[in-house]
Amino acid sequence: MERIYLDNNATTKIDPEVLNVMMPLLSEKYGNPNSLHTFGTEVHPDMVKALDQLYAGINASDNSDIIINSCATEGNNTVLKGIYFDIILKSDKKHLITTQIEHPAVSHTADFLESLGVTVTRLPVSESGLITPESLKEAIVKDKTALVSVMWANNETGLINPIKELAQIAHENGALFHTDAVQAIGKISVDVQDTNVDFLTFSAHKFHGPKGVGGLYIKDPIKLTPLFHGGEHMGGKRAGTINVAGMVGMGKAMELATTKNAIEYENSVVRRLRDKLEDAIISLDDTIVIGSREDRTPNTILASFKGIEGEAFLWDLNQNGIAASTGSACSSEDLEPDPTFVAMSIDSDLAHTGLRFSLSRFTTEEEIDRAIEVIKSSVKRLREISSTYVKGE
Amino acid sequence: MERIYLDNNATTKIDPEVLNVMMPLLSEKYGNPNSLHTFGTEVHPDMVKALDQLYAGINASDNSDIIINSCATEGNNTVLKGIYFDIILKSDKKHLITTQIEHPAVSHTADFLESLGVTVTRLPVSESGLITPESLKEAIVKDKTALVSVMWANNETGLINPIKELAQIAHENGALFHTDAVQAIGKISVDVQDTNVDFLTFSAHKFHGPKGVGGLYIKDPIKLTPLFHGGEHMGGKRAGTINVAGMVGMGKAMELATTKNAIEYENSVVRRLRDKLEDAIISLDDTIVIGSREDRTPNTILASFKGIEGEAFLWDLNQNGIAASTGSACSSEDLEPDPTFVAMSIDSDLAHTGLRFSLSRFTTEEEIDRAIEVIKSSVKRLREISSTYVKGE
């Protein structure tokens, strides 16, 4: 049985072209880039190229920083804790705004800072599942809010927040703006200059790069207390020997994911396949999909199937070769209802049955056709044995 | 010209066997280990095997933690900052002891904590270049010192500190003990139970594993505030999607580096080659090697050549195919005199000319023979054009 991978919001396969550029750095070109001899200096052109690819991918200006780190969790921790040491501890700005739908890398870091005495406001989503400019305007306190952190696209629903407007409101009130763009890169256009964000985080493994490497954009001229103190790597902004192979792979992955053609492909071919799968799901009885299609990244569906428990469904699909998710892979162990379901007033029967399907540019029409057949028969089978399912109730 | 790599304390080449076990994780086995479907679960056996290899490599008990992270810099920051939040902020223990010879990942983190109000004592080295139990006994304050952090082996000199005795003194005075073992793993036997250390950090790329992955040993039952807050990866001890390929590579690298045979090879064959190179260096006029041979890791030489500036020597050697270092690759940009030179009362003429040669199990006798010839002719040439060199003065 050929397995079908529909869990690309959890992680993605490394593009063979990406692995290809990494291989020399994993074998003969093994020097430490901080070394002054040829083994060290010969990797510099590869690193410069990777940086160029990263800058181009998010349209960063040359003056700004892109810190190479180990993942978006590191980037998110760096921003929130850096702001804590640089602004919250040192000024009257002691207020942090984030949302109820952030990845734990932001929300748990905010919890930690709250335990240190920081005032944290967590914005709810609207009935459309989005963070609205109005809710930020209500929550922000002029010259008291240090940072606003709102994810660009949600990992569970794919819903895309109005980052440009939110960043503008933050700035009008003297706050800095951070966005976790992990789920946006490669799916929609991400432009740090157009949106005017101050900090942006991403992880290579979410856009067909390797695990263990990520990036943090910091707008010029902002400086942040580093999360890693140590050597003078990256001008002291992030100590630790650079993962050169990972960095070079991430650069290539960024390039492949963010060309005009790539974004167009994602929003035409991938979107059409996603819509085909989504149409098939909502054609079943008693199913819903969270969020308007137009508001979402083109690859994501978060669906609920009344009477079917998410974990059981996941198991059944897996037995039949389909890999999906009950939500974020980062919280598969966590059975809390999704705050988006709650905010959107979706009844609790459905809120515990969410299943996420996330496609990629490697997803084929044949895979989607087979997934539709498997989902249909699985829904039928599981509802037949369900003790709670009554059609249309 | 075949290039000869004698800078293995900066970084090492990935062992082909290590890359071999990594490759499936960089290609077809790309699942997120937190996912519940087969793509996620199929990597678990590889991860369990890697953990077993890591536990065996440092003789950790099953109850203790080994956190997989991105490098020893991360591990060192995790320990020092974790202790800050968990002990220094919450108890009367507000004193931190470290040394004047730590890697910047420890020393700069200690500087940062000092800026937050922590009292930091930095132990000097003895005339032998070592951190002595006596100096720790003098500096430690019973029930006031929270943590003692002393590197196992120094990156520049290879000098090995008496970790077991130092850990015992820390414990007798109510302090915890951390050691940065980056330069010890694979060179000498490292046993966390025998030495009874509380925390130990290492980086895969220093023992023929990949860059971008490291480990942090935490003795049972100690818990540390994580440096990365976020998802429930590793039970919340270190959030962020695990670098599975890196972890598996590090496990294999640890196994290869720490078998009885590997340590014996390092202390017989590598040591003999190192001694051959060292004998040739000290047979030249006006050269010294820092530290007693018996006190050092078997692969390292830090030598000074009177009248020759380190950077010029490095450049000349590199032109002739030999890769060495003027000291730590992490501080090649930094021209401060080495504190070990200072402590050992080596005159400042020599303190600015230190050159480090560090071998590995891949170093061959032919390479050492050629290195000796190149060093001899380079020393002759550079002294002939030196404005400061006067023989024997």
Side-chain angles (χ1 to χ4, degrees), chain B residues 289-301:
Chain B
V289 167
I290 308 301
S292 160
R293 241 173 243 205
E294 292 64 42
D295 291 341
R296 279 186 275 136
T297 47
N299 78 317
T300 304
I301 301 168

Side-chain angles (χ1 to χ4, degrees), chain B residues 1 10 24 28 45 54 60 63 69 93 97 111 130 132 138 156 173 189 193 197 228 246 250 270 329 359 389 391:
Chain B
M1 180 173 64
E28 72 270 20
L54 296 172
N63 295 332
N69 56 26
K93 295 181 180 176
I97 296 179
D111 295 344
L130 296 167
T132 63
E138 266 181 49
E156 312 274 358
N173 288 279
S189 167
Q193 294 190 78
V197 301
F228 293 12
M250 179 163 68
V270 176
L359 288 65
Y389 180 64
K391 188 177 169 178

Side-chain angles (χ1 to χ4, degrees), chain A residues 332-364:
Chain A
S332 280
E333 294 155 23
D334 176 352
L335 292 173
E336 290 291 299
D338 188 308
T340 305
F341 281 79
V342 177
M344 295 174 83
S345 308
I346 290 157
D347 75 54
S348 62
D349 274 11
L350 282 164
H352 276 288
T353 65
L355 216 70
R356 183 185 70 189
F357 301 94
S358 47
L359 289 64
S360 83
R361 64 177 184 258
F362 292 103
T363 307
T364 65

Side-chain angles (χ1 to χ4, degrees), chain A residues 3-5 7-8 10-14 19 22-23 25-39 42 70-71 73-74 77 81 84-85 89 103-106 108-109 112 116 205-206 210-212 225-233 238-244 311 314 318 321-326 329-333, chain B residues 3-5 7-8 10-14 19 22-23 25-39 42 70-71 73-74 77 81 84-85 89 103-106 108-109 112 116 205-206 210-212 225-233 238-244 311 314 318 321-326 329-333:
Chain A
R3 289 185 290 154
I4 297 172
Y5 188 70
D7 197 13
N8 287 282
T11 195
T12 59
K13 103 181 204 190
I14 299 183
L19 188 55
M22 292 172 67
M23 287 311 295
L25 287 320
L26 291 169
S27 43
E28 71 270 20
K29 291 170 81 170
Y30 58 85
N32 186 323
N34 277 39
S35 296
L36 301 176
H37 47 63
T38 305
F39 287 91
E42 71 182 349
S70 68
C71 58
T73 291
E74 180 180 334
N77 274 264
K81 294 176 184 173
Y84 173 73
F85 287 114
L89 277 189
H103 186 276
V106 167
H108 289 179
T109 306
F112 172 66
L116 299 176
H205 77 99
K206 303 286 191 182
K211 294 178 181 64
T225 285
L227 190 66
F228 292 12
H229 288 86
E232 291 304 304
H233 317 85
R238 196 272 190 184
T241 298
I242 296 174
N243 176 354
V244 182
E311 304 274 320
L314 186 71
N318 187 50
I322 311 288
S325 166
T326 50
C330 308
S331 58
S332 280
E333 294 155 23
Chain B
R3 289 185 290 155
I4 297 171
Y5 188 70
D7 197 12
N8 287 281
T11 195
T12 59
K13 103 180 204 190
I14 300 184
L19 186 56
M22 291 172 67
M23 287 311 295
L25 287 320
L26 291 170
S27 43
E28 72 270 20
K29 292 171 81 171
Y30 58 84
N32 186 323
N34 276 39
S35 296
L36 302 176
H37 47 64
T38 305
F39 287 91
E42 72 182 348
S70 67
C71 57
T73 291
E74 179 180 335
N77 274 263
K81 294 176 184 172
Y84 172 74
F85 286 115
L89 277 189
H103 186 277
V106 167
H108 290 180
T109 306
F112 172 66
L116 299 176
H205 77 99
K206 303 286 192 183
K211 294 178 181 64
T225 285
L227 190 66
F228 293 12
H229 288 86
E232 291 303 305
H233 318 86
R238 196 271 190 185
T241 298
I242 296 173
N243 176 354
V244 183
E311 305 273 321
L314 186 71
N318 186 51
I322 311 288
S325 166
T326 50
C330 308
S331 58
S332 279
E333 295 154 21

Side-chain angles (χ1 to χ4, degrees), chain B residues 41-248:
Chain B
T41 56
E42 72 182 348
V43 303
H44 291 187
D46 299 291
M47 294 170 71
V48 169
K49 183 171 181 186
L51 270 184
D52 285 347
Q53 290 164 326
L54 296 172
Y55 275 80
I58 60 172
N59 191 31
S61 80
D62 289 348
N63 295 332
S64 293
D65 286 320
I66 295 182
I67 309 292
I68 308 302
N69 56 26
S70 67
C71 57
T73 291
E74 179 180 335
N76 292 336
N77 274 263
T78 303
V79 173
L80 269 68
K81 294 176 184 172
I83 293 295
Y84 172 74
F85 286 115
D86 296 337
I87 299 181
I88 294 175
L89 277 189
K90 293 186 179 167
S91 78
D92 287 343
K93 295 181 180 176
K94 303 200 182 292
H95 181 219
L96 170 67
I97 296 179
T98 180
T99 79
Q100 292 178 6
I101 56 163
E102 294 303 304
H103 186 277
V106 167
S107 64
H108 290 180
T109 306
D111 295 344
F112 172 66
L113 296 182
E114 196 170 39
S115 78
L116 299 176
V118 178
T119 308
V120 179
T121 302
R122 295 169 186 83
L123 303 177
V125 293
S126 68
E127 286 182 14
S128 309
L130 296 167
I131 303 298
T132 63
E134 294 66 37
S135 73
L136 177 57
K137 278 181 197 163
E138 266 181 49
I140 201 162
V141 187
K142 199 168 171 66
D143 299 331
K144 298 288 176 192
T145 303
L147 180 76
V148 177
S149 177
V150 180
M151 69 198 331
W152 197 306
N154 183 265
N155 44 324
E156 312 274 358
T157 60
L159 283 162
I160 302 164
N161 291 309
I163 294 303
K164 187 174 180 171
E165 291 82 346
L166 296 170
Q168 193 185 333
I169 295 164
H171 293 149
E172 285 167 358
N173 288 279
L176 293 169
F177 188 84
H178 165 244
T179 184
D180 176 346
V182 155
Q183 299 290 345
I185 304 272
K187 293 167 189 162
I188 54 176
S189 167
V190 168
D191 184 326
V192 292
Q193 294 190 78
D194 175 59
T195 50
N196 200 20
V197 301
D198 300 297
F199 309 105
L200 178 140
T201 37
F202 55 87
S203 266
H205 77 99
K206 303 286 192 183
F207 52 88
H208 304 290
K211 294 178 181 64
V213 62
L216 163 59
Y217 164 80
I218 303 179
K219 187 177 152 190
D220 177 59
I222 303 167
K223 304 292 168 214
L224 269 187
T225 285
L227 190 66
F228 293 12
H229 288 86
E232 291 303 305
H233 318 86
M234 284 183 263
K237 288 161 196 161
R238 196 271 190 185
T241 298
I242 296 173
N243 176 354
V244 183
M247 173 182 181
V248 167

